[in-house]
Amino acid sequence: MAQFGFENDIDSILKLDMPITNAPMARWQRKASSSTTSTSNALSPGKSANVLLSNVTSRTPNKTPGKSKKCTPSKVGGDRFIPIRNGKQMDVASFLLTKEADPIDTNNPAGALENQKAWSVTLNGYNIEEAKILHLGGKPLNAPEGYQNNLKVLYSQVTTPASTKKTRYISSVPDRILDAPELRNDFYLNLLDWSSQNILAVALHNNVYLWDATQGDITLLMKLEREEDYISSVSWTKEGSYLAIGTSDCKVQLWDVENQKRLRSMSSHTTRVGCLTWNDHVLSSGSRSGHIHHHDVRVADHHIFTLTGHSQEVCGLKWSPDGKYLASGGNDNMVYVWPGVQDGSSSNNGQSVRCWSEHQGAVKALAWCPWQPHILASGGGTSDRHIRIWNVNSGSCISSLDTQSQISSLVFAPNYKELVSAHGYAHNNVVIWKYPSLSRVAELNGHEDRVLNLTLSPDNSTCATVAGDETVRLWKSFELDPVKKKAKERMARSTSSVIHQSIR
């Protein structure tokens, strides 16, 4: 019988349909108990202890997110302008908005506020009193590759095809190669120039040949009488109708190219004339003696002024685009800037405006910037190898670059605002530099001997180089795209010069 009594006791313990007396109170029971307590406290306002309990239980827990009847997350609509936001953020935002409308309770003790803060940190992970109504989490997503919005795009992290910059192609081989037999391989001479009428003049020993770049025709313009004499320099007028020729017998000849007629021969130098440059009706010439002569080609007494500064041969000579300054470089490693010619004489009493001695080699390469007339570029010989950019107004050297090679010629290419340099020993090539950073854009290799001279075509799209390998090479490296080319042609205007009026 005892065995049966033990089994009955075990069955009664394992049965779950009986109430558990020692278990914690169920949630629904706690809820009913709290509501009953609140009702009783409201009916008994005289009890101070119940009043304190009512303040704590009625304000803080009931207004915690998810507990207030006023703040039901399911009734609040999502914000369509916020792409990512979870339900918890919606509860916090709704709670903070409704909390602003409640009156401030000044009777709430400090202990209750501390309890509220502790509960908020425990439930939410932060103090809800310091929370923001709108809180965005995560970084915005990038648009898919190649995506383009039909509306106006204000910002995009992905480069669209329309904004991709087109790269310019520069051919590494010359567009054309011309033979230049009997070319004098002399660093100090200037034997190549390209006219505004698209005619290239090349001096070969004691002959001057003209090559029409438009038609492709070659013409022998002149030949010196004595075989031992040679051509030392050539220079076109701005209009391209007349060609000045310097010779080894100290003369400067002026030729009418269209009629193939020599207009005059001017004698004033005592040594060979190695460089020439035009400024309207004034022709400036530099000689081996170091002197620079100004010639007014309109009058019979052509020699109007002499500039003395160089102690050795003048091998570089260039007028600025605005005609205000004349730059000269010599075998004495000096660079001079001279004032312009006014009323038949040189202003400033023939004194130089600037004088620079930074170069350590002969300065033959000179170039004025077409879009910045006060900027001058100069290049040194084998002992120097530097390109230097000068500001004539301030007299300062803006930048300097070691090219590791002899510099024989410089020219600015305005189509892409670049600087082009021709080199002798040891590279024997042509280099295109971005201006003003002087970063290398491209190298043009092909000449088998040092490059002596460099000149640009009238449209600034092609550069011609002549070298000691007796070749003239044309490099089409600066062609504009068709749209820019048409716009530039519309802006071009033909101008007449006073040299057309009277030249003797």
Side-chain angles (χ1 to χ4, degrees), residues 63-66 88-89 91-92 95-96 116-129 131:
K63 291 196 176 183
T64 302
K88 185 177 180 181
Q89 292 174 341
D91 291 342
V92 173
F95 169 73
L96 293 174
Q116 291 178 18
K117 181 178 179 180
W119 291 341
S120 177
V121 173
T122 303
L123 294 175
N124 305 309
Y126 54 88
N127 185 11
I128 200 170
E129 296 292 338

Side-chain angles (χ1 to χ4, degrees), residues 380-388 399-407 423 427 433 438 440:
T382 307
S383 303
D384 182 72
R385 306 180 304 274
H386 280 74
I387 295 176
R388 287 182 166 86
S399 58
S400 177
L401 175 70
D402 188 357
T403 64
Q404 302 295 325
S405 185
Q406 178 191 50
I407 304 170
H423 297 273
H427 295 158
W433 311 90
L438 295 184
R440 191 185 301 264

